[in-house]
Amino acid sequence: MWSFSNIANNIHAWLGNNFNPTMTLVIEMVLAGVAVIGLFAGLGLVLVIMERKVSAWMQIRLGPNRVGPKGMLQSLADTIKLIVKEGLTPDGADKFLFNLAPFIAMIVAMLLMAPIAFAKDFQLWDLNIGVLFVSAVSSIMVISILMAGWASNNKYSLMGAMRSGAQIVSYELSAGLSILTIVVLSGSLSVSDIIYSQADGWWIFKGHIPVLIAFVTFIIAVTAETNRAPFDLAEAESELTAGFHTEYSGMKFALFFLAEYVNVFIVCAIGATLFLGGWMPFHIGSWEGFNQVMDYIPSSIWFFGKTFFLIFVIMWFRWTFPRLRIDQLLNLEWKYLLPISMINLLIVTAMAILKWHF
Amino acid sequence: MFEEVGTTPEGDMIINVGPQHPATHGVLHLVITLNGETIKKVEPHLGYIHRSIEKMCESLSYRQFIYVTSRMDYLSAHMNNHACAMCVEKGLQVEIPPRAQVIRVLMSELTRIASHELWWGAMAMDLGAFTPFFHAFRERESINDIMEETCGARLTMNYMVPGGVMHDLHPNFQQRVKAFMKLYKKKIHEYDEMVTGNIIFQNRMKNVGVLSANDAISYGCTGPTARGSGVSSDIRKLYPYEIYNTLEFDEVLETGGDSFARYMVRIREMQQSIRIIEQLIDNIPEGDFQTKTKAVLKLPKGEFYSRVETARGELGVYIVSEGGTTPYRIKFRSPGFSNLSVLNHISKGSKLGDLVAMMGTLDLVIPDIDR
Amino acid sequence: MTNEELKIKLAEILPSAIIEDGNEWIEIAIEPGEWLQSAKQLRKKEALQFNFLFCLTCIDWKTHLTMVYHLRSTIFHYNIVVKAKLDRDKPEIESVSNIWRTAEFHEREVFEMFGVNFLNHPDLRLLILPDGWEGKNPLRKDFEDPINMIRL
């Protein structure tokens, strides 16, 4: 059957036959790097056009409809425009940090792609602490935002960066705690183990209400972590003009922009992996007939379907909710989400020990 | 001056909001003193769009100056023209025909709805919800089409002239207004679902920018800003003009005094305007739409003051005449100017994010403030 | 209360003012020196309570300036007009921004447009004109700006 893992294995075998082992490794690494960059750019384009179409649909308008069929090439045209645009650096800015910040944002987004399983047995790096890796690396994102805000030498940028710092540090907690519920249930930090533990049903169905609570907390927390509305205080267009990237233009702005979208993809991919079974088809217990029919749908379609569903949910938030205020945002985390997810984790742990889940 | 430099001697940060800023909807410049995110002082700097309309009017004839006033509060252009026309009529002592009166009231109320629609969308956008803007424009567009058909313009109508209105209504007018009202009634529930009932929105609005009734009076607030604080200030009720005293409608009052009360006043006012239009749309009297006046108008020596309720509050027109063909001095008492002066008072101690909520619910239109 | 009764009430508290029927409302002419005292009386007096200053402006009569205050009571709904004649070369009047807060902005506007000096105003600075404006006050009759002004 056609699948990503077969293609990868074929390439590996062909390289192994034609080159020596060191060369094979180097070529494979280059290939993986190119694939990640390609995916990074490709995802950016797809998600931007998707966001614009989704928002247009919600706002009773057509959205981009001039470039390419149904406007599908609009974001490509935008990218070309951003590439040829002059990248300004303000006079008072700290030039080194100012130019470094967008690259850190991009590198973080790329690093996060490493442990994600895009299809059955198709993963860049199945490291045994995959979930921990994702939580750890995604916190570096805040450094690039703080760097951008501070180095811009602009008060709006600085305020946006400070808001973002407070926000990401806070919401990291409940995101981490809701990830932990699944780790407790599946007994592993490895992404592939977590997916295989859902072979007889996704955690969101197997784990009763506590996992549902963890899922909702997770979605709220990652929306905040990726600075998406209604938690887009770091950008807060009407208050801070554009927040931390006020002073950025051209390709440096585009990198922030792409990194934001790729981050959305990644957190949704993690959400889909943990709660909705990743590439695992929809299985019901040991009902063999049904499970086999589901298995006919390729695993990559399952993965991307679930991920894009979650992305749609996050876009839906963005286009329907007003923005929270900074104190309300922190109240929500520290007074509601954090206590709820702590108690929830306790319940899930008890559930895991007593084997109350399916 | 330290204003442009960055910090006060006490170490508070100073931020210039505007003249170009997404939330000021024009060229308003606010110098904000911030302690962290908390506002200590808001100082408006005006004049970026000051055209000195008052001075300009001194060299324009009584027919000409009305056209300039459409450019003051461009969202209630009809009401601006209406106030000026009424003031000139007061001086000339002209009665205007009943048909013209009804047309004036109908147009004013349609403008009020259009203005509140725009405010609703723009205010939701300030709070970060983009979608309502487009939904508001859907309804507003059909009002603009009605205006375009009858007045020939969508924003600066210049439709009301001394003695009545400029043209008769377009034959389609009644039918299109009815179609608009049908659309509006069908869609009104979306407003509540999308914005009013939203918990985030309510948290952003409630207890934000609280203005007490006494302060509202002292600061000269009028219109929905004052009525949100429970101050009865509807000129249509207090000092009725045209045919408003024969119509059935309620003065909308809320007692909260916060941004949410001001919001609710405007939302409910739209429904009252619909009520007025419903009473009039089938009862437009036949007859002249204009009283014949002389080609060159001359007001007798004296002072004339007229006021109307625009979408933003009380607009006063004060004409001092020396008996010539041009006003000797003209003063526009614009609602926005007084409403803006309250901003510093109500924003003290709130967060920066609240400022946009307050500016949104004060409904600032910058050309109205600067004139 | 009819106009006549109102006139009697006003005459009681403003003995030195000239009270007459205007075009629309009662017009009171007062001396600038007495204005602050009279304003306090108009605002505080139980039976009057003119708590709403809805229009504040100035007129340049070429020989003198006239300050015009339009007052209204939100409780009794009377309107009155108060006028004070000022010297054109050195116009000075007491600020009423402590009595009606709205006067603060309106007086700043009159200050820059007509050059009236409001005594004891908390913050008498340019509001509309650009910082560092030098030259005549734009709304005075002898103001000329050959570049920006269009005469018909």
Side-chain angles (χ1 to χ4, degrees):
Chain A
M1 203 174 73
W2 185 90
S3 80
F4 280 128
S5 52
N6 285 351
I7 297 170
N9 291 337
N10 287 340
I11 292 172
H12 180 71
W14 183 80
L15 285 172
N17 290 336
N18 289 287
F19 299 95
N20 63 33
T22 324
M23 206 55 197
T24 310
L25 190 68
V26 170
I27 292 175
E28 279 178 358
M29 280 188 160
V30 169
L31 279 179
V34 169
V36 167
I37 292 174
L39 188 66
F40 183 83
L43 273 178
L45 298 184
V46 170
L47 290 175
V48 170
I49 196 78
M50 177 179 165
E51 171 117 275
R52 293 180 68 171
K53 281 291 184 189
V54 167
S55 69
W57 174 62
M58 289 184 182
Q59 295 170 348
I60 44 174
R61 57 194 175 87
L62 291 174
N65 58 2
R66 285 289 183 275
V67 189
K70 299 226 174 236
M72 286 304 158
L73 298 179
Q74 182 66 51
S75 46
L76 195 68
D78 288 347
T79 316
I80 292 168
K81 179 208 120 186
L82 283 168
I83 289 171
V84 298
K85 208 172 166 183
E86 184 187 0
L88 280 172
T89 309
D91 269 349
D94 183 332
K95 301 229 164 32
F96 177 65
L97 293 183
F98 185 82
N99 292 319
L100 184 63
F103 291 99
I104 291 192
M106 190 185 78
I107 288 166
V108 169
M110 283 186 179
L111 275 179
L112 285 170
M113 291 209 181
I116 290 174
F118 293 97
K120 191 171 195 298
D121 303 327
F122 186 75
Q123 206 172 350
L124 274 180
W125 184 19
D126 183 15
L127 79 172
N128 56 358
I129 50 157
V131 174
L132 182 65
F133 176 84
V134 169
S135 322
V137 171
S138 66
S139 350
I140 301 175
M141 186 70 195
V142 71
I143 293 176
S144 78
I145 290 175
L146 283 173
M147 212 182 246
W150 180 256
S152 295
N153 195 19
N154 176 323
K155 280 177 263 184
Y156 287 124
S157 303
L158 180 64
M159 287 190 74
M162 289 302 155
R163 281 178 174 191
S164 175
Q167 178 182 337
I168 294 182
V169 167
S170 317
Y171 278 82
E172 194 87 331
L173 293 170
S174 35
L177 284 173
S178 43
I179 289 176
L180 270 186
T181 58
I182 300 302
V183 172
V184 165
L185 284 171
S186 58
S188 171
L189 284 167
S190 153
V191 170
S192 58
D193 286 355
I194 290 176
I195 294 173
Y196 277 112
S197 73
Q198 302 180 66
D200 54 345
W202 304 343
W203 279 121
I204 197 159
F205 300 124
K206 288 202 297 178
H208 309 291
I209 292 166
V211 172
L212 205 62
I213 293 171
F215 179 66
V216 173
T217 320
F218 179 81
I219 291 292
I220 295 174
V222 296
T223 313
E225 252 190 88
T226 48
N227 287 326
R228 300 270 304 175
F231 307 103
D232 61 341
L233 285 111
E235 287 157 38
E237 181 172 325
S238 56
E239 293 156 34
L240 304 176
T241 56
F244 66 90
H245 54 57
T246 306
E247 297 286 1
Y248 283 88
S249 62
M251 207 51 211
K252 279 181 269 179
F253 167 74
L255 287 182
F256 270 123
F257 199 63
L258 281 179
E260 182 193 320
Y261 280 99
V262 174
N263 275 332
V264 170
F265 174 81
I266 286 161
V267 294
C268 290
I270 297 291
T273 305
L274 296 176
F275 297 95
L276 305 177
W279 50 261
M280 189 63 75
F282 183 61
H283 286 170
I284 298 177
S286 50
W287 182 8
E288 289 302 325
F290 179 79
N291 290 354
Q292 271 180 4
V293 171
M294 285 292 145
D295 284 341
Y296 275 109
I297 301 171
S299 55
S300 50
I301 291 192
W302 278 107
F303 173 76
F304 282 102
K306 291 167 191 174
T307 308
F308 275 87
F309 168 72
L310 289 184
I311 291 172
F312 172 76
V313 170
I314 283 182
M315 285 180 180
W316 189 3
F317 289 165
R318 169 159 182 185
W319 296 108
T320 44
F321 285 137
R323 184 183 304 120
L324 274 79
R325 205 169 59 208
I326 183 75
D327 55 328
Q328 293 168 346
L329 176 95
L330 296 177
N331 275 351
L332 175 69
E333 164 64 18
W334 293 101
K335 288 189 182 165
Y336 301 100
L337 287 184
L338 186 62
I340 288 173
S341 35
M342 281 169 120
I343 293 168
N344 197 41
L345 180 62
L346 204 67
I347 297 170
V348 171
T349 314
M351 207 165 81
I353 293 168
L354 300 170
K355 301 268 183 240
W356 278 348
H357 59 86
F358 291 115
Chain B
M1 283 209 299
F2 61 78
E3 280 169 10
E4 281 77 30
V5 180
T7 42
T8 60
E10 296 88 48
D12 295 323
M13 184 159 69
I14 289 170
I15 275 196
N16 287 287
V17 172
Q20 277 101 32
H21 188 274
T24 56
H25 301 297
V27 281
L28 177 66
H29 180 190
L30 300 173
V31 179
I32 302 175
T33 312
L34 280 176
N35 181 8
E37 284 259 348
T38 313
I39 295 169
K40 287 182 115 177
K41 197 166 109 187
V42 176
E43 227 182 294
H45 285 212
L46 307 178
Y48 289 90
I49 197 167
H50 195 274
R51 295 141 295 177
S52 205
I53 285 180
E54 291 171 12
K55 184 86 178 174
M56 220 189 279
C57 290
E58 286 174 14
S59 57
L60 295 175
S61 78
Y62 288 111
R63 280 199 193 282
Q64 289 168 328
F65 89 91
I66 294 178
Y67 303 111
V68 186
T69 61
S70 291
R71 276 87 182 161
M72 288 196 316
D73 178 357
Y74 50 83
L75 292 179
S76 15
H78 267 312
M79 284 93 127
N80 296 347
N81 298 344
H82 195 173
C84 300
M86 265 170 37
C87 202
V88 174
E89 282 153 14
K90 223 174 233 178
L92 295 171
Q93 293 184 325
V94 194
E95 282 290 314
I96 68 164
R99 184 174 172 84
Q101 293 196 9
V102 172
I103 294 175
R104 280 182 174 189
V105 170
L106 271 173
M107 285 301 186
S108 294
E109 295 309 316
L110 281 173
T111 315
R112 194 184 313 280
I113 297 173
S115 169
H116 284 349
E117 297 270 11
L118 182 82
W119 155 81
W120 182 77
M123 188 215 54
M125 203 160 76
D126 285 350
L127 291 178
F130 286 82
T131 306
F133 192 73
F134 295 89
H135 289 247
F137 263 62
R138 176 187 50 197
E139 274 88 70
R140 186 169 181 272
E141 205 56 19
S142 51
I143 296 183
N144 276 356
D145 289 344
I146 296 170
M147 293 295 178
E148 194 181 4
E149 228 174 33
T150 295
C151 319
R154 294 164 70 84
L155 206 62
T156 49
M157 287 82 157
N158 308 323
Y159 184 53
M160 309 205 181
V161 293
V165 293
M166 194 172 260
H167 312 283
D168 207 351
L169 290 174
H170 191 274
N172 282 346
F173 181 78
Q174 275 167 306
Q175 174 212 332
R176 292 193 75 150
V177 170
K178 280 178 192 162
F180 158 71
M181 287 198 296
K182 218 170 137 193
L183 171 80
Y184 181 83
K185 281 179 180 159
K186 213 169 82 191
K187 300 289 183 191
I188 187 79
H189 71 98
E190 284 185 5
Y191 290 41
D192 294 341
E193 282 161 19
M194 249 190 305
V195 176
T196 318
N198 188 312
I199 182 77
I200 300 176
F201 174 78
Q202 293 197 356
N203 283 335
R204 282 295 302 272
M205 297 302 255
K206 280 183 179 162
N207 295 319
V208 165
V210 181
L211 177 65
S212 71
N214 279 337
D215 282 339
I217 293 169
S218 179
Y219 276 98
C221 296
T222 47
T225 309
R227 290 198 284 281
S229 303
V231 179
S232 161
S233 62
D234 196 333
I235 302 297
R236 295 174 295 172
K237 281 280 182 199
L238 293 178
Y239 309 101
Y241 50 96
E242 308 292 9
I243 52 161
Y244 275 113
N245 49 1
T246 64
L247 295 172
E248 261 182 48
F249 67 100
D250 300 326
E251 176 172 6
V252 180
L253 282 176
E254 292 272 340
T255 48
D258 55 0
S259 291
F260 192 69
R262 295 193 278 275
Y263 170 86
M264 283 314 288
V265 168
R266 291 200 175 86
I267 290 287
R268 287 170 55 200
E269 239 177 41
M270 283 197 258
Q271 282 147 18
Q272 294 300 328
S273 294
I274 288 281
R275 224 174 121 189
I276 294 174
I277 296 169
E278 266 175 351
Q279 289 170 44
L280 291 178
I281 190 66
D282 284 321
N283 303 317
I284 305 175
E286 294 297 319
D288 287 339
F289 56 88
Q290 205 183 45
T291 311
K292 285 274 166 283
T293 44
K294 284 184 198 148
V296 179
L297 300 178
K298 270 189 186 175
L299 256 64
K301 197 170 156 74
E303 293 167 11
F304 309 96
Y305 193 99
S306 76
R307 49 194 165 182
V308 298
E309 180 77 14
T310 73
R312 259 146 287 278
E314 174 185 339
L315 174 76
V317 177
Y318 178 51
I319 296 181
V320 180
S321 167
E322 279 280 77
T325 54
T326 60
Y328 183 75
R329 161 101 176 99
I330 195 159
K331 158 85 184 168
F332 298 107
R333 185 262 182 229
S334 67
F337 190 70
S338 303
N339 288 355
L340 173 73
S341 68
V342 87
L343 187 61
N344 181 34
H345 175 70
I346 60 175
S347 64
K348 259 179 209 150
S350 16
K351 299 275 180 286
L352 182 63
D354 288 337
L355 186 75
V356 287
M358 283 177 245
M359 270 158 48
T361 52
L362 289 178
D363 198 6
L364 304 175
V365 168
I366 314 306
D368 179 42
I369 295 165
D370 275 355
R371 299 186 302 289
Chain C
M1 194 154 52
T2 61
N3 254 5
E4 290 309 309
E5 283 168 359
L6 181 60
K7 270 166 100 174
I8 295 163
K9 278 260 165 59
L10 288 169
E12 271 172 27
I13 60 161
L14 308 171
S16 60
I18 305 155
I19 301 170
E20 56 191 15
D21 277 324
N23 220 332
E24 203 160 349
W25 302 312
I26 293 170
E27 285 183 11
I28 305 167
I30 54 151
E31 285 298 313
E34 293 167 7
W35 167 229
L36 188 66
Q37 215 45 47
S38 322
K40 277 182 185 156
Q41 290 280 325
L42 288 170
R43 172 71 184 84
K44 290 278 149 60
K45 194 85 178 170
E46 275 301 310
L48 295 171
Q49 299 205 29
F50 286 102
N51 53 4
F52 197 99
L53 176 68
F54 63 94
C55 186
L56 186 163
T57 190
C58 185
I59 303 165
D60 180 12
W61 290 106
K62 289 179 183 150
T63 52
H64 62 272
L65 300 178
T66 307
M67 284 297 299
V68 185
Y69 300 84
H70 286 79
L71 293 169
R72 145 163 127 225
S73 162
T74 56
I75 298 156
F76 306 110
H77 304 301
Y78 327 124
N79 297 279
I80 54 167
V81 186
V82 180
K83 289 183 178 173
K85 206 165 144 183
L86 304 183
D87 183 16
R88 197 165 185 275
D89 298 324
K90 195 169 174 286
E92 271 185 349
I93 193 163
E94 279 285 340
S95 163
V96 287
S97 55
N98 288 329
I99 305 168
W100 299 286
R101 305 292 295 273
T102 181
E104 189 179 328
F105 263 48
H106 281 96
E107 281 174 354
R108 274 172 78 178
E109 192 190 1
V110 170
F111 162 71
E112 61 194 341
M113 293 299 175
F114 289 92
V116 178
N117 187 19
F118 290 93
L119 305 170
N120 300 324
H121 188 283
D123 190 20
L124 200 60
R125 293 182 293 122
L126 294 179
L127 176 68
I128 291 169
L129 294 175
D131 286 347
W133 173 270
E134 277 170 20
K136 286 192 170 154
N137 306 97
L139 280 183
R140 287 216 186 175
K141 286 285 171 187
D142 53 3
F143 177 82
E144 285 296 337
D145 183 345
I147 300 160
N148 296 317
M149 244 166 84
I150 299 161
R151 288 238 176 254
L152 290 175

